[in-house]
Amino acid sequence: MNSILQHDLNDLENILEKAKRQGIDFLNNLENIPTSNNNKIDPKRDLNNLGLGSEKALKEFKERLAPLLVSSPGPRYWGFVTGGSTPASIVGDWLATVYDQNTQSVTSQGGNSALIEFETINLLLQLLELPDSFLGGFVTGATMSNFTSLAVARQWFGKQFGKDFAKNGISETINILTATPHSSSIKSLSMLGIGSQNYTVVKTIEGNREAIDLADLELKIKELNGKPFILISSAGTVNTADFDDFEAISNLKEKYNFWWHIDAAFGGFAAVSEKYKGYVQGWENADSITIDCHKWLNVPYESAFYLIKKAHVNLQIETFQNSNAPYLGDPLENFNYLNVLPENSRRLRALPVWFSLVAYGKEGFCDIIEKSTSLALHFGNALIEDGSFELLAPIRLNNVCFTLKGDENQDKVGEFLTKLNDTGTVFMTPTVYQNKKGIRASFVNWRTKEEDINIVLEEMKLLI
Ligand SMILES: *Cc1c(COP(=O)(O)O)cnc(C)c1O
């Protein structure tokens, strides 16, 4: 063994203690670490011939690299839709690394870590009150979940014409209908060879809505003259957290032949709260659903899952099977993850979620969801009261989409947000909503408190 590796091995406990210390110092200081910074490094660092060993690498990380990092798991990072790791999720994430399992298969590769993924999906179905007619798996984010779901939808579409697109490539125009798709679904259409421009935009409901207009949807369906299609619908749009009417779409399922995908990256968690579960009523009738865990479940990044109806498992295997060997027997009995999703070798990605669900239970997550939504309302009301701001849309859930009051101030929105983000006190995302420049604050993080909102409002008043 290389002598430096040998030294690290002998010194493992000390090294991990130091890494833990580094992590705890960061977490305990999240409130004071800025949400943005302009620190830079020259990334052309020379590779050492003789390694430094972990301890010195950690020292270099602390001095050179850590200053690049921001308080994104902290309470005032309201950009995008970003959670922050809870204690239990950190435990799960650390242990996933330590145990370093390959979760691609249930039995044949030695080790049964895939059963932990099965169990975690089952716990998630219980959390979201979804039936076990779904088969789920973990991927790195909602983008990959949309990709995985739409890949199976693509295979389904071919089968409606008696064709196997997975084997022979796409040879029919694939009809896609959608109203307010997330950019990652469009990216998925590009990655899937369907084409990022090849979809039909369905109108949204008149007025200040991003949800699909059902009359227009039915009109566009009729224009397809009985041809099959894929519907990409939304449970939580990023600007205004709007939801399509899933009961109504369920009814359309009775009349027309389509694959129904729901991007519920963050909005799916509405199901956890009695107050908001009405938003997703009927979603169990979808063919596939995308949900992110590194958002409202507050686990570290690279955690999302897809749910695809078990009835479609053969299509899923046709799409993702790793060898061309025909499947023998019941596909669910010989189940291996590497045959149903994009990756082959993969980490035990489910573990942070497993720890979170076991540690905090349904109530823990219900509290996070309801607290986030009440903070969003609190912030929205404070903006209105202030008089310098206006909401661009009503607050349905956890996202606040607002702008500087008055059309004459549209030019100032960008500069205002840049200055605000530069304070490092808070981070929000620029957006455009109904042709207006706006700002989006998303409440997702379990650490955020009323106090944080007051701190941010003070900063905003200074800059206006
Ligand atoms: C965040 C988000 C995505 C993309 O998620 P990643 O985890 O960044 O891949 C897709 N859809 C919706 C609705 C989202 O909010």
Side-chain angles (χ1 to χ4, degrees):
M1 189 184 288
N2 167 282
S3 63
I4 294 175
L5 267 168
Q6 181 69 60
H7 178 268
D8 264 12
L9 181 59
N10 298 343
D11 202 29
L12 186 60
E13 197 166 334
N14 170 43
I15 292 167
L16 292 183
E17 280 298 334
K18 291 208 159 127
K20 183 179 85 177
R21 188 72 256 156
Q22 173 78 22
I24 289 175
D25 287 347
F26 176 70
L27 292 174
N28 283 346
N29 203 20
L30 274 180
E31 309 239 343
N32 307 314
I33 294 169
T35 48
S36 67
N37 68 51
N38 282 317
N39 301 334
K40 299 273 180 324
I41 52 163
D42 175 2
K44 290 192 208 111
R45 182 193 184 282
D46 289 328
L47 175 66
N48 314 37
N49 188 30
L50 205 59
L52 301 177
S54 292
E55 225 179 314
K56 285 197 180 127
L58 182 61
K59 188 163 179 284
E60 183 177 330
F61 166 80
K62 186 174 178 175
E63 287 164 6
R64 267 186 78 236
L65 306 187
L68 298 170
L69 309 180
V70 298
S71 179
S72 61
R76 277 175 268 103
Y77 194 92
W78 304 345
F80 311 101
V81 184
T82 304
S85 335
T86 57
S89 74
I90 294 172
V91 174
D93 203 70
W94 279 3
L95 291 180
T97 297
V98 167
Y99 280 82
D100 194 19
Q101 305 287 295
N102 190 345
T103 308
Q104 63 174 237
S105 57
V106 174
T107 49
S108 55
Q109 311 291 316
N112 278 325
S113 64
L115 291 178
I116 299 173
E117 185 157 336
F118 263 156
E119 178 164 301
T120 308
I121 292 288
N122 186 269
L123 295 172
L124 284 164
L125 289 173
Q126 292 174 56
L127 178 76
L128 301 169
E129 298 183 2
L130 280 166
D132 69 357
S133 52
F134 286 101
L135 188 64
F138 276 85
V139 287
T140 50
T143 303
M144 283 310 292
S145 177
N146 283 331
F147 172 85
T148 306
S149 301
L150 293 172
V152 184
R154 180 184 67 176
Q155 182 68 357
W156 169 87
F157 190 91
K159 285 299 168 87
Q160 306 312 299
F161 295 87
K163 296 188 172 173
D164 186 338
F165 289 173
K167 275 206 178 113
N168 302 312
I170 301 173
S171 56
E172 294 285 339
T173 299
I174 302 181
N175 306 308
I176 313 258
L177 300 184
T178 184
T180 314
H182 186 266
S183 54
S184 64
S185 282
I186 305 308
K187 176 173 173 173
S188 298
L189 297 184
S190 152
M191 292 195 286
L192 288 163
I194 295 171
S196 61
Q197 297 191 348
N198 295 334
Y199 63 93
T200 301
V201 181
V202 181
K203 285 184 191 156
T204 51
I205 297 173
E206 273 293 306
N208 203 342
R209 295 293 303 271
E210 291 186 295
I212 201 161
D213 178 314
L214 285 146
D216 191 52
L217 173 61
E218 204 153 359
L219 198 78
K220 301 244 152 73
I221 294 175
K222 290 197 171 124
E223 281 168 11
L224 291 171
N225 286 322
K227 288 202 201 102
F229 65 97
I230 296 167
L231 175 68
I232 303 175
S233 66
S234 297
T237 54
V238 284
N239 269 337
T240 70
D242 210 344
F243 290 73
D244 294 337
D245 181 342
F246 300 139
E247 292 277 32
I249 296 174
S250 301
N251 292 337
L252 293 178
K253 265 298 236 181
E254 309 278 312
K255 279 165 73 181
Y256 304 104
N257 183 27
F258 63 101
W259 179 286
W260 177 17
H261 175 64
I262 302 178
D263 182 346
F266 67 92
F269 290 102
V272 180
S273 156
E274 287 301 322
K275 283 192 200 162
Y276 301 107
K277 60 166 47 160
Y279 283 142
V280 291
Q281 207 166 325
W283 71 327
E284 67 279 3
N285 298 313
D287 295 286
S288 55
I289 301 177
T290 282
I291 300 186
D292 244 334
C293 298
H294 54 222
K295 288 180 178 162
W296 235 344
L297 209 68
N298 282 269
V299 305
Y301 278 113
E302 299 211 354
S303 183
F305 61 104
Y306 60 79
L307 296 171
I308 299 175
K309 281 278 163 69
K310 280 179 185 163
H312 297 309
V313 70
N314 283 320
L315 296 169
Q316 203 173 340
I317 290 170
E318 284 162 15
T319 308
F320 292 111
Q321 75 177 11
N322 186 52
S323 77
N324 288 323
Y327 265 79
L328 303 171
D330 181 348
L332 286 172
E333 247 164 50
N334 299 316
F335 183 83
N336 286 320
Y337 274 112
L338 84 169
N339 291 313
V340 294
L341 47 67
E343 294 136 323
N344 282 5
S345 300
R346 53 207 284 274
R347 77 200 307 259
L348 180 42
R349 186 167 286 131
L351 204 56
V353 176
W354 185 92
F355 264 92
S356 305
L357 295 176
V358 170
Y360 307 124
K362 183 147 186 170
E363 191 157 321
F365 286 100
C366 183
D367 287 349
I368 293 176
I369 305 310
E370 293 187 354
K371 182 78 193 172
S372 306
T373 55
S374 85
L375 288 169
L377 280 175
H378 178 52
F379 182 58
N381 287 335
L383 290 177
I384 295 169
E385 260 170 46
D386 179 86
S388 308
F389 305 94
E390 62 186 342
L391 298 188
L392 288 174
I395 297 166
R396 293 190 185 84
L397 203 62
N398 60 326
N399 288 354
V400 181
C401 190
F402 68 100
T403 194
L404 302 182
K405 196 168 186 172
D407 286 344
E408 69 281 9
N409 287 319
Q410 274 285 295
D411 289 346
K412 298 185 190 146
V413 177
E415 196 191 325
F416 171 78
L417 180 60
T418 304
K419 278 194 193 151
L420 182 62
N421 284 343
D422 282 350
T423 64
T425 305
V426 66
F427 188 81
M428 302 185 206
T429 317
T431 191
V432 175
Y433 178 66
Q434 296 193 328
N435 297 320
K436 277 195 168 181
K437 285 182 199 148
I439 299 172
R440 200 156 53 73
S442 185
F443 293 87
V444 194
N445 192 301
W446 63 285
R447 290 176 183 268
T448 311
K449 301 199 275 290
E450 271 87 7
E451 245 171 86
D452 294 299
I453 290 182
N454 299 336
I455 294 171
V456 172
L457 286 167
E458 288 309 311
E459 285 289 354
M460 291 173 79
K461 282 180 190 160
L462 290 177
L463 292 172
I464 199 77

